[in-house]
Amino acid sequence: MKSISFFAWLLLLATGCSTSGVAIPLGAKTYPPTSADSVVILAEPPTRPFADVALVDGTAATDDYFTQERTQAAALKAMKEKAAQLGAHAIIITDKGSRPYGGPLWEKLQISGKAIRYTDDSE
């Protein structure tokens, strides 16, 4: 019986741990994809003119990455990948939070933002 409960715990651990990115496009205009590596993270809106592309969200759990820094990097990477698929140049962070997850030492980190695309010619 113990092996079944241990197996169930391992299955829950394997399926419960995830990193995800979500994007909700804003407006009907579409853009060619950009590189996720080129998407810049911003704390406030830029002075350059821009258009809103999407609302984006990245979630990662510390049980996958073990440290806050690595978990945050994973959540940001997931956001950047989704934003890049929609042609964004940058993400303006709008919210960041965490909640307990799966055990007393683990938490899920969630970062939200707005993906934008610069509208001037200098990229």
Side-chain angles (χ1 to χ4, degrees):
M1 187 68 139
K2 285 184 181 182
S3 63
I4 292 174
S5 61
F6 180 72
F7 177 77
W9 181 82
L10 283 177
L11 183 61
L12 177 64
L13 183 63
T15 59
C17 305
S18 64
T19 301
S20 65
V22 177
I24 301 171
L26 298 171
K29 189 163 183 173
T30 61
Y31 303 97
T34 57
S35 164
D37 292 335
S38 70
V39 174
V40 178
I41 302 296
L42 304 171
E44 56 188 50
T47 56
R48 288 174 68 178
F50 64 89
D52 295 342
V53 175
L55 298 176
V56 290
D57 183 84
T59 303
T62 55
D63 62 324
D64 285 339
Y65 300 99
F66 304 111
T67 68
Q68 280 286 342
E69 284 181 354
R70 290 176 63 193
T71 304
Q72 179 173 306
L76 290 171
K77 180 180 180 200
M79 291 176 74
K80 290 169 79 172
E81 288 170 353
K82 289 296 182 178
Q85 290 172 1
L86 296 174
H89 294 130
I91 298 170
I92 304 166
I93 300 299
T94 57
D95 193 32
K96 179 181 169 184
S98 64
R99 65 183 188 280
Y101 170 74
L105 301 177
W106 296 336
E107 62 183 359
K108 251 198 191 185
L109 178 66
Q110 183 172 4
I111 304 172
S112 300
K114 183 170 33 171
I116 63 168
R117 183 174 178 92
Y118 296 119
T119 56
D120 58 5
D121 290 332
S122 58
E123 291 185 29

